[in-house]
Amino acid sequence: MRTLVGLLTSNHALLQLEAARCLHELSHSEQSVVAEACLPATSYLLTYLSGHSSDFIELCLYTLGNLIVESETVRRQLLPQGIIPALAVCIQSPHVAVLEALGYALSQLLQAKEAPEKIIPSSILASTLPQHMLQLLQPGPKLNAGVAVEFAWCLHYIICSQVNNALLITYGALSTLGLLLLDLAGAVQRTEDAGLELLACPVLRCLSNLLPEAAVETMGGQMQLRDERVVAALFILLQFFLQKQPSLLPEGLWLLNNLTANSPSFCTSLLSLDLIEPLLQLLPVSNVVSVMVLTVLCNVAEKGPAYCQQLWPGPLLSSLLHILAFSDTEVVAQSLELLQLLFLYQPEVGGFWPWSPTTCFEASPWPSSLPVLTIVTSPDLASLYRL
Amino acid sequence: MVLAPGTSPEVFAPARSTGSLLRGGPRGEGIGKADQPPAGQKTGSGPSLLQDGDVQRHLYLQDVLTQVAQAPERPRVPAFACRVAGCCQVFDALDDYEHHYHTLHGNVCSFCKRAFPSGHLLDAHILEWHDSLFQILSQRQDMYQCLVEGCTEKFKTSKDRKDHMVRLHLYPTDFQFDKPKKNKGPATPRAGTSTSEEALRDDREQLEGEAMEVCSEPVASSATPMGERRTYSRRIPSTICFGQGASRGFKSTKKRNKQY
């Protein structure tokens, strides 16, 4: 290692490069002792991040990222050695490859188990990194998909740690991410295959996780997400997922859930943009998706009679009838919850119910784990469900 | 292959509100880590709802890291020499030349021709080695700035600064870019004066150019005698500046310190 470090710090450029490649190879080892053997080199790897040779910096960053994953000892050394300020300088580089590598290294640092206590509060949030990250996520001609993907994931890990999401919101995270979502939907509609779907997952998660924070009263109106185009954009993405990657539907539906949970205006958007039927089309995909679709519908229904009127009967009726024949307890439970809300605000719903009590129970054997319901608004239905 | 901590992708299971079936309240909830559900709320049952997003990310990273690990296919060009006067290193790939240029001609002190990896370190060097005002001021106040990016501590002497960097920033005691000036403290191992125990490192140090890089084959000549190099470097007067690759420094007619 002494030799390697000597070569790394020599003034012979090509030797330096080769030494850096050796270190990079070593950093791939899955044994933490090997990573720890590279400790003498880390101060130099960090020093070189302030240089100008983009290939070399890229290599140093990937090496650092790999070392960070393998060993907590390495991380414990890198922090006092100033990795965060070094990254804050390096993130201003104009080179795309450098930025991608930086995003990778940072994302590994942020996933460390000690990150929420030791790394994010004191170092990351105190630096200019979050602002730079958000800048790199701004939609527009300068947006680079590969770079944006890395920093979207970094942002996701920071938000997940729940250290200070309010601060991120004051930096404009919600509006940046919202606009980025619109951009993504646009790209997907133009059927561009720029790798943008890789960006969808972290952006959806970031938005979903920030929304509950933004709903807090003290946040102030201008910090909240109010752009209703987000709902339309989300549905475009949901359609895209339905065709290309159904496993990502829960990510999108989670955001829809959080958008509609506390906001009557987003529920209104859902109705006025005629998105209930596309939503119902997602029901057959899987149980998990069904539960989430029904949860969103519950969010709409609980906003009041005016909303319930728009929901019922329409296509919702046949979907619900179909669903109640499912044997999955969670799906049935959620659909009953929706029914209960509809009965609450629109008692005449009971009149539409076509099943006789015996048919209902034959089709769906009542599992003992399902909680007992009493629906008191409609006498007919109360007799159906009382156990 | 390097992955996120653990062998399986990290899973972020959403926390769902119980939303008692009678109450039917709103259900906006954040996505927390799988093992830390917020109190009083039930997590999604069965496998996490959002695992596929993590799998996709994991596979993408594996791809990227594989590509990075492979030696890059660099397009070869007809051999050309470095244009900086006095440097006749030859290259056949532009990336190699770019790195050479930035390493050796990018941040170079115009007095002693020492190359530094960054402008930050070069600035510190010029201040501490070639600025007489600095020497005067440093006798009255703490002037030696910590070399770690982001640290604003200053110290009375370079030794104090070095102690700080070793103790607080866990830097190596022989950090290559923080050599105290030769005529100040005890003689530190320098190119050509291999009195120290780290003879191996001295051999490497001889490759450090105070002067331009020697025009011979790169690696083998680590034992180039000092005398030869000094003669070579005297051919270029210190007052001459070589255009774009020029090193920065104070304009001074003072002769270069020839004690190396």
Side-chain angles (χ1 to χ4, degrees), chain A residues 11-13 16 30 44 51 53 69 80-81 85 111 150 205 209 245 247 254 257-258 261 288 295 330 337 340, chain B residues 1 3-4 12 16 21 26-31 45 49-50 52 54 56-57 99 117 149 169-170 176 209 218:
Chain A
N11 252 5
H12 194 281
Q16 243 189 31
E30 288 176 12
Y44 298 109
S53 173
V69 173
Q81 281 184 342
Q111 287 180 84
E150 295 306 319
R205 289 188 186 186
N209 280 328
Q245 237 178 332
S247 54
W254 191 258
N257 171 50
N258 285 7
V288 159
T295 311
E330 279 212 50
E337 190 167 342
Q340 185 235 329
Chain B
M1 189 52 64
L3 307 170
F12 300 101
R16 294 173 57 212
L21 293 175
R27 285 148 188 81
E29 284 304 335
I31 302 177
S45 56
L49 299 181
L50 306 182
D52 284 312
D54 295 294
Q56 188 194 48
R57 165 71 175 160
H99 181 58
E149 195 81 53
H169 295 296
L170 308 183
Q176 299 285 319

